[in-house]
Amino acid sequence: MNGLQPPSVLLQGASGSGKTSSIVTLLLAGIEVFVIGTEPGFVDSLIDRCRALKAPIDKLHWMTVLPA
């Protein structure tokens, strides 16, 4: 890397508002992405969207923290 700090982003919004697509766009730009998902099924949606757009998932890291 050239010493530049990649962006830190907080995505929030209703289901279907484009959060997952935004994450995949970062992957397509070559940015290593770390995600904390708080919606049930977010991993499945994220992987499905990556496959649909042929985004590399080798730079994708995730953790699920569901609301109590």
Side-chain angles (χ1 to χ4, degrees), residues 21-44:
S21 294
S22 296
I23 293 166
V24 175
T25 299
L26 293 171
L27 289 169
L28 290 170
I31 296 172
E32 188 164 13
V33 178
F34 296 83
V35 182
I36 299 172
T38 59
E39 296 178 359
F42 106 93
V43 173
D44 294 331

